[in-house]
Amino acid sequence: VLDAVTQAASKTIGEACVAWLLSEDGNQLIPESLYHPDQPVRDALREALAVQLAIRDGVTGQVVRTGKALFAPQPAQAQIEMLFGSGYQSPVHSTQVNSLMIVPLTVEGKTTGTLVLTRARPGHPYVEDDFKFFRSLADRAGIAIANVRLYQNLAKALQQEQTLRRQLIQAEKNLALNRMVASVAHEINNPIQTIVNCLYLLRTAVSTEGPDREALDMATSETRRIAGLVQQLRDLYRPGQDKSMCPLEVKEILKEVHKLLLTHLQQHQVAWEAQDIPAGLVFNGIPDHIKQVFLNICLNAVDAMDPDGGKISVKAALDAPSYQVGIAITDTGPGIPPEYLDRLFEPFFTTKTTGTGLGLAITFDIVQSHGGRITVENQPGGGATFTVWLPVL
Ligand SMILES: Nc1ncnc2c1ncn2[C@@H]1O[C@H](COP(=O)(O)OP(=O)(O)OP(=O)(O)O)[C@@H](O)[C@H]1O
Ligand SMILES: [Mg+2]
């Protein structure tokens, strides 16, 4: 917007136009845009004006402080010397300013900067109409800037809304699937127990050696595996389960997770780095479930870095305004292909030949039932970060 404004002012009224914006603290002016029809002059000006101006004194600063525009068709020498204030050697040589106009830049009723227009050509002072036009240009620039800001805020709000909506949809989907998984697991459990018992009886009838026994052993161990999986599903998706919550400390939980993973990490040449985990961050949780969350994420990280190994970095920090602790787990693997980002938490989504695709779906549900949320992002240098947010006590 400002580039268009400085250019328009320079081309229609004449010569050098500079737009200054107030710094965050409101004490300095920073050159934001500049235009002069001659390229070499423009470059020289740009170099000369690579400064920050204090607004406390100086002619430009005064316009910003008071909000009153300055129309000086034939400025006094003192005005030119004090154009930028006492602290600055005016980079604009006095002969370069034979006529001067400065208007405040107001966005939504607040002065946020200023536009300065100068003419070097002697004998052609600015006239009243120039001043009027310049002021209306500044007014319109203020409105345009306000619109841009509005649009930016809107875009941000929209993005937040979309993230929230996506999480809600995911939670909805998972809830429906949970019910199905729970009932299927329940129905499968009984026949499996029967099969396990039958296999046990058969084993006593078959000789301890030979191919029959081998086949029977294999059937037994595979059935046990299924029984284990079904049991796990039943535990997690039992409706109305009443596993009691208790206060847990982030640092302690992460220590225990590390302990559980130690051998696995060594076997896969994965280093563990948990730096500066603040003590005293406490949240309410079901210990086994919470550990399962971090185990699932870490096991995936190890898988992702296979076979070369790598590093898992764990960080935790309190987000004071939201009373939430964020626990971030980053790996040095290849990261997650963007087209999969939306599907990771779906039950049975897996890219592994031996995966069930339940790890992250279960993780999502546990975090959700703890009043938290989980986010995932790829790191610019490769690797993925899973962040679990939980409300602190
Ligand atoms: N840290 C990671 N880096 C890259 N991809 C990942 C990472 N974590 C998860 N994924 C991807 O997400 C998919 C789903 O993970 P999830 O834990 O739900 O299932 P899984 O690991 O494939 O199977 P299971 O956990 O049941 O053994 C994985 O197959 C993998 O493609
Ligand atoms: Mg997994």
Side-chain angles (χ1 to χ4, degrees):
V1 174
L2 286 174
D3 285 344
V5 171
T6 48
Q7 218 178 98
S10 170
K11 282 183 178 158
T12 48
I13 312 174
E15 296 198 28
C17 185
V18 185
W20 300 82
L21 285 186
L22 267 179
S23 59
E24 294 252 331
D25 63 7
N27 293 324
Q28 309 272 327
L29 283 172
I30 301 160
E32 192 62 37
S33 170
L34 170 162
Y35 195 82
H36 189 285
D38 290 341
Q39 177 83 46
V41 182
R42 200 189 314 158
D43 292 343
L45 267 177
R46 187 160 289 138
E47 201 168 306
L49 289 181
V51 289
Q52 295 203 356
L53 300 184
I55 64 160
R56 86 189 107 82
D57 57 6
V59 175
T60 309
Q62 191 179 3
V63 170
V64 177
R65 279 199 322 273
T66 60
K68 282 211 188 83
L70 174 81
F71 177 52
Q74 283 165 311
Q77 189 62 28
Q79 271 179 318
I80 296 166
E81 271 163 20
M82 278 299 281
L83 191 57
F84 289 145
S86 56
Y88 299 89
Q89 269 249 296
S90 175
V92 185
H93 196 268
S94 53
T95 56
Q96 287 176 327
V97 181
N98 272 302
S99 198
L100 167 71
M101 298 194 285
I102 307 176
V103 293
L105 204 55
T106 309
V107 179
E108 288 172 329
K110 254 177 73 184
T111 306
T112 50
T114 173
L115 290 176
V116 181
L117 193 62
T118 55
R119 186 178 278 166
R121 205 148 42 105
H124 293 273
Y126 292 127
V127 294
E128 197 63 48
D129 275 350
D130 294 334
F131 186 50
K132 266 193 210 149
F133 183 74
F134 194 37
R135 287 187 77 142
S136 78
L137 206 59
D139 288 347
R140 269 180 282 163
I143 294 168
I145 291 171
N147 283 341
V148 168
R149 285 190 189 163
L150 202 68
Y151 180 76
Q152 281 168 345
N153 288 345
L154 204 68
K156 208 167 129 200
L158 209 65
Q159 206 186 355
Q160 281 171 347
E161 201 259 353
Q162 270 169 354
T163 314
L164 202 69
R165 191 203 295 251
R166 223 181 295 141
Q167 295 214 341
L168 274 175
I169 291 173
Q170 188 70 64
E172 247 342 275
K173 268 200 222 164
N174 285 17
L175 199 70
L177 260 148
N178 289 356
R179 288 204 196 100
M180 198 182 84
V181 170
S183 58
V184 171
H186 181 259
E187 291 309 305
I188 292 178
N189 190 51
N190 293 342
I192 287 209
Q193 292 311 325
T194 314
I195 295 171
V196 170
N197 291 340
C198 292
L199 288 171
Y200 181 76
L201 286 178
L202 275 177
R203 271 167 66 105
T204 54
V206 172
S207 66
T208 51
E209 298 288 337
D212 284 354
R213 177 64 184 224
E214 236 170 66
L216 203 53
D217 279 349
M218 207 191 285
T220 309
S221 83
E222 289 300 287
T223 313
R224 288 231 167 87
R225 210 159 70 91
I226 300 175
L229 182 65
V230 168
Q231 188 55 43
Q232 218 183 336
L233 291 176
R234 270 162 57 89
D235 281 350
L236 280 160
Y237 291 124
R238 195 171 298 149
Q241 53 189 318
D242 183 29
K243 295 219 173 94
S244 48
M245 296 228 177
C246 60
L248 301 171
E249 209 204 316
V250 172
K251 203 178 169 125
E252 282 306 312
I253 286 288
L254 291 174
K255 223 189 256 174
E256 283 175 45
V257 169
H258 181 213
K259 220 193 268 170
L260 289 170
L261 281 169
L262 217 52
T263 336
H264 193 70
L265 293 174
Q266 275 166 1
Q267 275 169 358
H268 292 83
Q269 283 140 43
V270 173
W272 176 271
E273 187 181 271
Q275 276 182 348
D276 310 326
I277 308 286
L281 286 177
V282 178
F283 63 96
N284 241 339
I286 302 167
D288 284 349
H289 285 190
I290 289 294
K291 272 186 249 171
Q292 173 118 41
V293 163
F294 295 111
L295 283 176
N296 282 341
I297 296 174
C298 292
L299 290 175
N300 282 345
V302 173
D303 286 347
M305 295 184 283
D306 221 35
D308 299 332
K311 188 173 79 179
I312 292 179
S313 315
V314 186
K315 282 193 192 130
L318 178 72
D319 180 53
S322 67
Y323 289 105
Q324 286 192 327
V325 54
I327 302 156
I329 294 170
T330 304
D331 61 57
T332 53
I336 294 148
E339 65 269 28
Y340 293 160
L341 277 173
D342 272 351
R343 305 193 49 201
L344 289 191
F345 299 103
E346 274 176 22
F348 307 113
F349 175 77
T350 181
T351 57
K352 300 169 194 169
T353 42
T354 55
T356 63
L358 281 173
L360 286 180
I362 291 172
T363 299
F364 184 95
D365 290 342
I366 296 176
V367 173
Q368 186 98 11
S369 69
H370 280 75
R373 67 199 159 87
I374 178 166
T375 57
V376 55
E377 62 190 347
N378 280 319
Q379 292 301 322
T385 296
F386 285 81
T387 308
V388 175
W389 294 94
L390 292 166
V392 285
L393 288 180

